Amino acid sequence: MKKDRGKVWLGVAGIVENYKGEWLLVKKTYGGLKGVWSLPAGFVQQAETVTTATMREVLEETGIVCRVKGLAGFRSGVILNDISDNMAIFYCEPIDDKQQFVLQEEEIVEACWMDPAEIIQHELSSVMLKEMAQQHVVRHIHPIIEGINPGDVFGYSEYHLFFKK
């Protein structure tokens, strides 16, 4: 079932890097990335921060529990001169490097760990994935700044900032 997301979309993706420096990749069963290696990704849901959404999407799609370490980048585009399509891309690490894949079979056909050098050369790597590997994005993350309250008047139940130190 396709959800009506309106005309302004906010998605998230996780660059989950294991202790070997390999990235967690998935092949989707649908859409423009069907059969192509890409990052675990999805949409932010109501009452969810972008970091919570990233960890949820990685877990749902691959069975891998991870933690967000920082913001790696942001992608923004307009689809058919109509829909604002935005994605926050986070750098993550698995909680345990021995976790086994548990795929969300209706959305994911395959998952693997792949070295960024191999991602660049692999014919089935998505364009964005190749660009991120070539740019060495994990060296330039903006860490999460937590524990800040911008004021009780705003009523935040969760609040994060991302700035390069």
Side-chain angles (χ1 to χ4, degrees), residues 23-153:
W23 293 4
L24 175 61
L25 306 181
V26 297
K27 281 186 184 175
K28 306 235 184 241
T29 62
Y30 63 93
L33 294 174
K34 180 178 181 177
V36 176
W37 289 116
S38 62
L39 298 173
F43 290 98
V44 177
Q45 296 176 357
Q46 182 178 350
E48 187 174 57
T49 66
V50 289
T51 55
T52 301
T54 302
M55 293 182 293
R56 176 186 51 77
E57 285 293 343
V58 170
L59 178 61
E60 284 178 0
E61 292 187 1
T62 68
I64 301 297
V65 178
C66 71
R67 72 179 132 253
V68 173
K69 301 298 286 181
L71 180 67
F74 197 87
R75 185 215 67 204
S76 185
V78 177
I79 300 171
L80 301 172
N81 292 314
D82 190 39
I83 297 170
S84 176
D85 181 21
N86 305 285
M87 178 178 280
I89 304 156
F90 290 94
Y91 176 69
C92 309
E93 63 183 17
I95 298 296
D96 178 0
D97 278 314
K98 295 183 174 112
Q99 296 176 78
Q100 299 296 312
F101 294 130
V102 179
L103 302 183
Q104 185 180 32
E105 294 179 359
E106 59 276 0
E107 290 189 19
I108 306 299
V109 69
E110 190 176 356
C112 76
W113 294 101
M114 191 180 295
D115 186 271
E118 186 180 349
I119 290 169
I120 294 167
Q121 300 301 319
H122 203 292
E123 64 184 22
L124 293 179
S125 294
S126 72
V127 171
M128 187 174 84
L129 189 60
K130 284 184 180 188
E131 189 64 29
M132 287 186 298
Q134 288 172 341
Q135 296 295 327
H136 306 286
V137 294
V138 299
R139 295 182 189 162
H140 308 287
I141 69 164
H142 293 61
I144 298 174
I145 301 168
E146 297 180 284
I148 296 171
N149 181 351
D152 293 339
V153 66

